[in-house]
PDB file of all heavy atoms in Angstrom:
ATOM      1  N   TRP A  37      14.038   2.946 -18.218  1.00 89.00           N
ATOM      2  CA  TRP A  37      14.663   4.160 -17.700  1.00 89.00           C
ATOM      3  C   TRP A  37      16.178   3.970 -17.636  1.00 89.00           C
ATOM      4  O   TRP A  37      16.972   4.881 -17.967  1.00 89.00           O
ATOM      5  CB  TRP A  37      14.120   4.539 -16.376  1.00 89.00           C
ATOM      6  CG  TRP A  37      14.586   5.865 -15.845  1.00 89.00           C
ATOM      7  CD1 TRP A  37      15.207   6.088 -14.624  1.00 89.00           C
ATOM      8  CD2 TRP A  37      14.478   7.132 -16.466  1.00 89.00           C
ATOM      9  NE1 TRP A  37      15.508   7.421 -14.522  1.00 89.00           N
ATOM     10  CE2 TRP A  37      15.073   8.110 -15.641  1.00 89.00           C
ATOM     11  CE3 TRP A  37      13.953   7.561 -17.678  1.00 89.00           C
ATOM     12  CZ2 TRP A  37      15.129   9.427 -15.958  1.00 89.00           C
ATOM     13  CZ3 TRP A  37      14.005   8.913 -18.018  1.00 89.00           C
ATOM     14  CH2 TRP A  37      14.610   9.814 -17.144  1.00 89.00           C
ATOM     15  N   ARG A  40      17.567   4.423 -21.076  1.00 81.00           N
ATOM     16  CA  ARG A  40      17.579   5.853 -21.447  1.00 81.00           C
ATOM     17  C   ARG A  40      18.706   6.593 -20.748  1.00 81.00           C
ATOM     18  O   ARG A  40      19.419   7.345 -21.376  1.00 81.00           O
ATOM     19  CB  ARG A  40      16.226   6.461 -21.023  1.00 81.00           C
ATOM     20  CG  ARG A  40      16.208   7.971 -20.882  1.00 81.00           C
ATOM     21  CD  ARG A  40      16.337   8.698 -22.247  1.00 81.00           C
ATOM     22  NE  ARG A  40      16.171  10.113 -22.123  1.00 81.00           N
ATOM     23  CZ  ARG A  40      17.177  10.982 -21.997  1.00 81.00           C
ATOM     24  NH1 ARG A  40      18.422  10.608 -22.002  1.00 81.00           N
ATOM     25  NH2 ARG A  40      16.923  12.305 -21.907  1.00 81.00           N
ATOM     26  N   CYS A  59       6.376   8.222 -29.764  1.00 48.00           N
ATOM     27  CA  CYS A  59       6.083   9.696 -29.598  1.00 48.00           C
ATOM     28  C   CYS A  59       6.481  10.162 -28.217  1.00 48.00           C
ATOM     29  O   CYS A  59       6.688  11.377 -28.014  1.00 48.00           O
ATOM     30  CB  CYS A  59       4.642   9.979 -29.899  1.00 48.00           C
ATOM     31  SG  CYS A  59       3.486   9.246 -28.754  1.00 48.00           S
ATOM     32  N   CYS A  60       6.591   9.274 -27.254  1.00 53.00           N
ATOM     33  CA  CYS A  60       6.889   9.711 -25.892  1.00 53.00           C
ATOM     34  C   CYS A  60       8.355   9.491 -25.501  1.00 53.00           C
ATOM     35  O   CYS A  60       8.819   9.993 -24.485  1.00 53.00           O
ATOM     36  CB  CYS A  60       6.039   8.939 -24.881  1.00 53.00           C
ATOM     37  SG  CYS A  60       4.287   9.159 -25.154  1.00 53.00           S
ATOM     38  N   GLY A  61       9.107   8.745 -26.302  1.00 62.00           N
ATOM     39  CA  GLY A  61      10.446   8.393 -25.915  1.00 62.00           C
ATOM     40  C   GLY A  61      10.416   7.583 -24.619  1.00 62.00           C
ATOM     41  O   GLY A  61       9.406   6.963 -24.294  1.00 62.00           O
ATOM     42  N   GLY A  63      10.780   8.827 -21.623  1.00 82.00           N
ATOM     43  CA  GLY A  63      10.344   9.617 -20.441  1.00 82.00           C
ATOM     44  C   GLY A  63       9.126   9.054 -19.755  1.00 82.00           C
ATOM     45  O   GLY A  63       8.916   9.256 -18.572  1.00 82.00           O
ATOM     46  N   TRP A  64       8.320   8.282 -20.486  1.00 88.00           N
ATOM     47  CA  TRP A  64       7.147   7.649 -19.902  1.00 88.00           C
ATOM     48  C   TRP A  64       7.588   6.728 -18.764  1.00 88.00           C
ATOM     49  O   TRP A  64       6.861   6.575 -17.750  1.00 88.00           O
ATOM     50  CB  TRP A  64       6.304   6.874 -20.883  1.00 88.00           C
ATOM     51  CG  TRP A  64       6.999   5.590 -21.338  1.00 88.00           C
ATOM     52  CD1 TRP A  64       7.802   5.423 -22.380  1.00 88.00           C
ATOM     53  CD2 TRP A  64       6.959   4.328 -20.642  1.00 88.00           C
ATOM     54  NE1 TRP A  64       8.267   4.111 -22.418  1.00 88.00           N
ATOM     55  CE2 TRP A  64       7.783   3.442 -21.367  1.00 88.00           C
ATOM     56  CE3 TRP A  64       6.329   3.927 -19.462  1.00 88.00           C
ATOM     57  CZ2 TRP A  64       7.993   2.114 -20.965  1.00 88.00           C
ATOM     58  CZ3 TRP A  64       6.565   2.595 -19.056  1.00 88.00           C
ATOM     59  CH2 TRP A  64       7.379   1.714 -19.815  1.00 88.00           C
ATOM     60  N   ARG A  66      10.078   7.046 -16.619  1.00 93.00           N
ATOM     61  CA  ARG A  66      10.303   7.785 -15.333  1.00 93.00           C
ATOM     62  C   ARG A  66       9.032   8.276 -14.805  1.00 93.00           C
ATOM     63  O   ARG A  66       8.829   8.352 -13.574  1.00 93.00           O
ATOM     64  CB  ARG A  66      11.338   8.926 -15.629  1.00 93.00           C
ATOM     65  CG  ARG A  66      11.703   9.694 -14.364  1.00 93.00           C
ATOM     66  CD  ARG A  66      12.340   8.772 -13.326  1.00 93.00           C
ATOM     67  NE  ARG A  66      12.822   9.474 -12.166  1.00 93.00           N
ATOM     68  CZ  ARG A  66      12.058   9.882 -11.158  1.00 93.00           C
ATOM     69  NH1 ARG A  66      10.779   9.637 -11.133  1.00 93.00           N
ATOM     70  NH2 ARG A  66      12.593  10.507 -10.123  1.00 93.00           N
ATOM     71  N   ASP A  67       8.068   8.678 -15.676  1.00 93.00           N
ATOM     72  CA  ASP A  67       6.732   9.075 -15.201  1.00 93.00           C
ATOM     73  C   ASP A  67       6.076   7.933 -14.420  1.00 93.00           C
ATOM     74  O   ASP A  67       5.541   8.166 -13.372  1.00 93.00           O
ATOM     75  CB  ASP A  67       5.825   9.442 -16.381  1.00 93.00           C
ATOM     76  CG  ASP A  67       6.249  10.688 -17.109  1.00 93.00           C
ATOM     77  OD1 ASP A  67       6.944  11.556 -16.532  1.00 93.00           O
ATOM     78  OD2 ASP A  67       5.869  10.829 -18.297  1.00 93.00           O
ATOM     79  N   HIS A  70       7.733   7.445 -11.103  1.00 97.00           N
ATOM     80  CA  HIS A  70       7.305   8.503 -10.169  1.00 97.00           C
ATOM     81  C   HIS A  70       5.939   8.180  -9.602  1.00 97.00           C
ATOM     82  O   HIS A  70       5.697   8.326  -8.400  1.00 97.00           O
ATOM     83  CB  HIS A  70       7.266   9.860 -10.925  1.00 97.00           C
ATOM     84  CG  HIS A  70       6.812  11.000 -10.114  1.00 97.00           C
ATOM     85  ND1 HIS A  70       7.639  11.605  -9.183  1.00 97.00           N
ATOM     86  CD2 HIS A  70       5.640  11.639 -10.062  1.00 97.00           C
ATOM     87  CE1 HIS A  70       6.962  12.572  -8.593  1.00 97.00           C
ATOM     88  NE2 HIS A  70       5.742  12.631  -9.139  1.00 97.00           N
ATOM     89  N   LEU A  96      21.502  13.067 -14.747  1.00 90.00           N
ATOM     90  CA  LEU A  96      21.856  14.458 -14.472  1.00 90.00           C
ATOM     91  C   LEU A  96      23.311  14.758 -14.861  1.00 90.00           C
ATOM     92  O   LEU A  96      23.607  15.843 -15.318  1.00 90.00           O
ATOM     93  CB  LEU A  96      21.614  14.817 -13.001  1.00 90.00           C
ATOM     94  CG  LEU A  96      20.135  14.981 -12.638  1.00 90.00           C
ATOM     95  CD1 LEU A  96      19.980  15.001 -11.109  1.00 90.00           C
ATOM     96  CD2 LEU A  96      19.533  16.197 -13.258  1.00 90.00           C
ATOM     97  N   HIS A 100      22.033  17.981 -19.864  1.00 87.00           N
ATOM     98  CA  HIS A 100      21.959  19.309 -19.325  1.00 87.00           C
ATOM     99  C   HIS A 100      20.501  19.789 -19.467  1.00 87.00           C
ATOM    100  O   HIS A 100      19.731  19.223 -20.238  1.00 87.00           O
ATOM    101  CB  HIS A 100      22.912  20.269 -20.045  1.00 87.00           C
ATOM    102  CG  HIS A 100      22.665  20.438 -21.478  1.00 87.00           C
ATOM    103  ND1 HIS A 100      23.161  19.550 -22.418  1.00 87.00           N
ATOM    104  CD2 HIS A 100      21.924  21.326 -22.173  1.00 87.00           C
ATOM    105  CE1 HIS A 100      22.754  19.897 -23.624  1.00 87.00           C
ATOM    106  NE2 HIS A 100      22.003  20.969 -23.517  1.00 87.00           N
ATOM    107  N   HIS A 101      20.208  20.826 -18.745  1.00 90.00           N
ATOM    108  CA  HIS A 101      18.854  21.413 -18.751  1.00 90.00           C
ATOM    109  C   HIS A 101      18.591  22.015 -20.167  1.00 90.00           C
ATOM    110  O   HIS A 101      19.452  22.698 -20.682  1.00 90.00           O
ATOM    111  CB  HIS A 101      18.742  22.467 -17.672  1.00 90.00           C
ATOM    112  CG  HIS A 101      17.473  23.207 -17.757  1.00 90.00           C
ATOM    113  ND1 HIS A 101      16.254  22.666 -17.398  1.00 90.00           N
ATOM    114  CD2 HIS A 101      17.196  24.481 -18.123  1.00 90.00           C
ATOM    115  CE1 HIS A 101      15.288  23.582 -17.542  1.00 90.00           C
ATOM    116  NE2 HIS A 101      15.841  24.663 -17.992  1.00 90.00           N
ATOM    117  N   ASP A 102      17.420  21.765 -20.701  1.00 90.00           N
ATOM    118  CA  ASP A 102      17.023  22.352 -21.960  1.00 90.00           C
ATOM    119  C   ASP A 102      16.229  23.651 -21.636  1.00 90.00           C
ATOM    120  O   ASP A 102      15.112  23.567 -21.231  1.00 90.00           O
ATOM    121  CB  ASP A 102      16.163  21.374 -22.726  1.00 90.00           C
ATOM    122  CG  ASP A 102      15.676  21.935 -24.055  1.00 90.00           C
ATOM    123  OD1 ASP A 102      15.995  23.080 -24.383  1.00 90.00           O
ATOM    124  OD2 ASP A 102      14.973  21.168 -24.779  1.00 90.00           O
ATOM    125  N   PRO A 103      16.812  24.802 -21.841  1.00 93.00           N
ATOM    126  CA  PRO A 103      16.129  26.045 -21.521  1.00 93.00           C
ATOM    127  C   PRO A 103      14.871  26.314 -22.338  1.00 93.00           C
ATOM    128  O   PRO A 103      13.995  27.073 -21.948  1.00 93.00           O
ATOM    129  CB  PRO A 103      17.181  27.158 -21.773  1.00 93.00           C
ATOM    130  CG  PRO A 103      18.198  26.532 -22.609  1.00 93.00           C
ATOM    131  CD  PRO A 103      18.131  25.057 -22.406  1.00 93.00           C
ATOM    132  N   ALA A 104      14.737  25.614 -23.459  1.00 93.00           N
ATOM    133  CA  ALA A 104      13.545  25.763 -24.305  1.00 93.00           C
ATOM    134  C   ALA A 104      12.384  24.896 -23.864  1.00 93.00           C
ATOM    135  O   ALA A 104      11.285  25.026 -24.379  1.00 93.00           O
ATOM    136  CB  ALA A 104      13.901  25.517 -25.770  1.00 93.00           C
ATOM    137  N   ALA A 105      12.659  23.960 -22.955  1.00 89.00           N
ATOM    138  CA  ALA A 105      11.641  23.014 -22.529  1.00 89.00           C
ATOM    139  C   ALA A 105      10.538  23.691 -21.685  1.00 89.00           C
ATOM    140  O   ALA A 105      10.806  24.681 -20.994  1.00 89.00           O
ATOM    141  CB  ALA A 105      12.267  21.871 -21.722  1.00 89.00           C
ATOM    142  N   ASP A 106       9.385  23.165 -21.775  1.00 92.00           N
ATOM    143  CA  ASP A 106       8.225  23.679 -21.017  1.00 92.00           C
ATOM    144  C   ASP A 106       8.555  23.494 -19.484  1.00 92.00           C
ATOM    145  O   ASP A 106       8.763  22.415 -19.045  1.00 92.00           O
ATOM    146  CB  ASP A 106       7.011  22.863 -21.374  1.00 92.00           C
ATOM    147  CG  ASP A 106       5.762  23.283 -20.650  1.00 92.00           C
ATOM    148  OD1 ASP A 106       5.802  24.133 -19.705  1.00 92.00           O
ATOM    149  OD2 ASP A 106       4.654  22.802 -21.040  1.00 92.00           O
ATOM    150  N   PRO A 107       8.543  24.625 -18.746  1.00 93.00           N
ATOM    151  CA  PRO A 107       8.874  24.530 -17.312  1.00 93.00           C
ATOM    152  C   PRO A 107       7.840  23.753 -16.522  1.00 93.00           C
ATOM    153  O   PRO A 107       8.100  23.362 -15.370  1.00 93.00           O
ATOM    154  CB  PRO A 107       8.949  25.989 -16.871  1.00 93.00           C
ATOM    155  CG  PRO A 107       8.218  26.745 -17.878  1.00 93.00           C
ATOM    156  CD  PRO A 107       8.293  25.988 -19.176  1.00 93.00           C
ATOM    157  N   GLU A 108       6.704  23.484 -17.099  1.00 94.00           N
ATOM    158  CA  GLU A 108       5.673  22.712 -16.353  1.00 94.00           C
ATOM    159  C   GLU A 108       5.956  21.232 -16.394  1.00 94.00           C
ATOM    160  O   GLU A 108       5.372  20.440 -15.652  1.00 94.00           O
ATOM    161  CB  GLU A 108       4.276  22.999 -17.002  1.00 94.00           C
ATOM    162  CG  GLU A 108       3.810  24.454 -16.887  1.00 94.00           C
ATOM    163  CD  GLU A 108       3.615  24.854 -15.429  1.00 94.00           C
ATOM    164  OE1 GLU A 108       3.018  24.112 -14.646  1.00 94.00           O
ATOM    165  OE2 GLU A 108       4.084  25.961 -15.066  1.00 94.00           O
ATOM    166  N   LEU A 109       6.834  20.810 -17.319  1.00 91.00           N
ATOM    167  CA  LEU A 109       7.164  19.370 -17.401  1.00 91.00           C
ATOM    168  C   LEU A 109       8.033  18.969 -16.225  1.00 91.00           C
ATOM    169  O   LEU A 109       8.756  19.748 -15.637  1.00 91.00           O
ATOM    170  CB  LEU A 109       7.934  19.128 -18.686  1.00 91.00           C
ATOM    171  CG  LEU A 109       7.144  19.290 -20.025  1.00 91.00           C
ATOM    172  CD1 LEU A 109       8.084  19.141 -21.179  1.00 91.00           C
ATOM    173  CD2 LEU A 109       5.989  18.323 -20.113  1.00 91.00           C
ATOM    174  N   ALA A 110       7.980  17.699 -15.960  1.00 93.00           N
ATOM    175  CA  ALA A 110       8.856  17.134 -14.882  1.00 93.00           C
ATOM    176  C   ALA A 110      10.313  17.306 -15.338  1.00 93.00           C
ATOM    177  O   ALA A 110      10.621  17.345 -16.512  1.00 93.00           O
ATOM    178  CB  ALA A 110       8.543  15.641 -14.693  1.00 93.00           C
ATOM    179  N   TRP A 111      11.222  17.399 -14.369  1.00 93.00           N
ATOM    180  CA  TRP A 111      12.616  17.715 -14.694  1.00 93.00           C
ATOM    181  C   TRP A 111      13.212  16.744 -15.693  1.00 93.00           C
ATOM    182  O   TRP A 111      13.999  17.129 -16.537  1.00 93.00           O
ATOM    183  CB  TRP A 111      13.460  17.810 -13.416  1.00 93.00           C
ATOM    184  CG  TRP A 111      13.692  16.470 -12.732  1.00 93.00           C
ATOM    185  CD1 TRP A 111      13.004  15.967 -11.690  1.00 93.00           C
ATOM    186  CD2 TRP A 111      14.700  15.518 -13.052  1.00 93.00           C
ATOM    187  NE1 TRP A 111      13.457  14.751 -11.336  1.00 93.00           N
ATOM    188  CE2 TRP A 111      14.529  14.451 -12.174  1.00 93.00           C
ATOM    189  CE3 TRP A 111      15.712  15.450 -14.015  1.00 93.00           C
ATOM    190  CZ2 TRP A 111      15.330  13.294 -12.199  1.00 93.00           C
ATOM    191  CZ3 TRP A 111      16.511  14.348 -14.043  1.00 93.00           C
ATOM    192  CH2 TRP A 111      16.289  13.250 -13.140  1.00 93.00           C
ATOM    193  N   TRP A 112      12.836  15.444 -15.655  1.00 90.00           N
ATOM    194  CA  TRP A 112      13.427  14.460 -16.585  1.00 90.00           C
ATOM    195  C   TRP A 112      12.966  14.675 -17.995  1.00 90.00           C
ATOM    196  O   TRP A 112      13.652  14.201 -18.912  1.00 90.00           O
ATOM    197  CB  TRP A 112      13.183  13.068 -16.104  1.00 90.00           C
ATOM    198  CG  TRP A 112      11.765  12.730 -15.836  1.00 90.00           C
ATOM    199  CD1 TRP A 112      10.846  12.248 -16.710  1.00 90.00           C
ATOM    200  CD2 TRP A 112      11.078  12.816 -14.601  1.00 90.00           C
ATOM    201  NE1 TRP A 112       9.627  12.085 -16.102  1.00 90.00           N
ATOM    202  CE2 TRP A 112       9.745  12.422 -14.801  1.00 90.00           C
ATOM    203  CE3 TRP A 112      11.480  13.202 -13.299  1.00 90.00           C
ATOM    204  CZ2 TRP A 112       8.828  12.380 -13.776  1.00 90.00           C
ATOM    205  CZ3 TRP A 112      10.556  13.197 -12.286  1.00 90.00           C
ATOM    206  CH2 TRP A 112       9.237  12.760 -12.526  1.00 90.00           C
ATOM    207  N   HIS A 113      11.915  15.388 -18.204  1.00 87.00           N
ATOM    208  CA  HIS A 113      11.477  15.725 -19.576  1.00 87.00           C
ATOM    209  C   HIS A 113      12.163  17.013 -20.092  1.00 87.00           C
ATOM    210  O   HIS A 113      11.977  17.317 -21.243  1.00 87.00           O
ATOM    211  CB  HIS A 113       9.983  15.922 -19.641  1.00 87.00           C
ATOM    212  CG  HIS A 113       9.210  14.641 -19.460  1.00 87.00           C
ATOM    213  ND1 HIS A 113       9.142  13.697 -20.439  1.00 87.00           N
ATOM    214  CD2 HIS A 113       8.434  14.152 -18.431  1.00 87.00           C
ATOM    215  CE1 HIS A 113       8.383  12.697 -20.044  1.00 87.00           C
ATOM    216  NE2 HIS A 113       7.973  12.941 -18.804  1.00 87.00           N
ATOM    217  N   ARG A 114      12.854  17.658 -19.200  1.00 89.00           N
ATOM    218  CA  ARG A 114      13.536  18.914 -19.610  1.00 89.00           C
ATOM    219  C   ARG A 114      15.044  18.788 -19.714  1.00 89.00           C
ATOM    220  O   ARG A 114      15.794  19.747 -19.696  1.00 89.00           O
ATOM    221  CB  ARG A 114      13.203  20.011 -18.580  1.00 89.00           C
ATOM    222  CG  ARG A 114      11.732  20.370 -18.570  1.00 89.00           C
ATOM    223  CD  ARG A 114      11.411  21.396 -17.517  1.00 89.00           C
ATOM    224  NE  ARG A 114      11.420  20.799 -16.185  1.00 89.00           N
ATOM    225  CZ  ARG A 114      11.734  21.389 -15.092  1.00 89.00           C
ATOM    226  NH1 ARG A 114      12.149  22.656 -15.065  1.00 89.00           N
ATOM    227  NH2 ARG A 114      11.715  20.756 -13.918  1.00 89.00           N
ATOM    228  N   ARG A 115      15.525  17.543 -19.875  1.00 86.00           N
ATOM    229  CA  ARG A 115      16.955  17.284 -20.037  1.00 86.00           C
ATOM    230  C   ARG A 115      17.274  16.931 -21.502  1.00 86.00           C
ATOM    231  O   ARG A 115      16.449  16.300 -22.145  1.00 86.00           O
ATOM    232  CB  ARG A 115      17.402  16.103 -19.143  1.00 86.00           C
ATOM    233  CG  ARG A 115      17.060  16.303 -17.659  1.00 86.00           C
ATOM    234  CD  ARG A 115      17.809  17.402 -16.993  1.00 86.00           C
ATOM    235  NE  ARG A 115      19.218  17.185 -16.923  1.00 86.00           N
ATOM    236  CZ  ARG A 115      20.023  18.032 -16.332  1.00 86.00           C
ATOM    237  NH1 ARG A 115      19.632  19.171 -15.850  1.00 86.00           N
ATOM    238  NH2 ARG A 115      21.346  17.792 -16.341  1.00 86.00           N
ATOM    239  N   CYS A 116      18.403  17.306 -21.977  1.00 83.00           N
ATOM    240  CA  CYS A 116      18.838  16.896 -23.305  1.00 83.00           C
ATOM    241  C   CYS A 116      20.343  16.699 -23.266  1.00 83.00           C
ATOM    242  O   CYS A 116      21.040  16.921 -22.346  1.00 83.00           O
ATOM    243  CB  CYS A 116      18.438  17.922 -24.354  1.00 83.00           C
ATOM    244  SG  CYS A 116      19.087  19.532 -24.128  1.00 83.00           S
TER     245      CYS A 116
END
Side-chain angles (χ1 to χ4, degrees):
W37 188 237
R40 160 69 173 97
C59 64
C60 301
W64 73 266
R66 184 58 175 81
D67 292 338
H70 179 76
L96 287 167
H100 62 275
H101 173 72
D102 179 0
D106 180 351
E108 297 296 316
L109 294 174
W111 70 264
W112 52 89
H113 288 288
R114 295 179 283 149
R115 304 295 294 181
C116 59

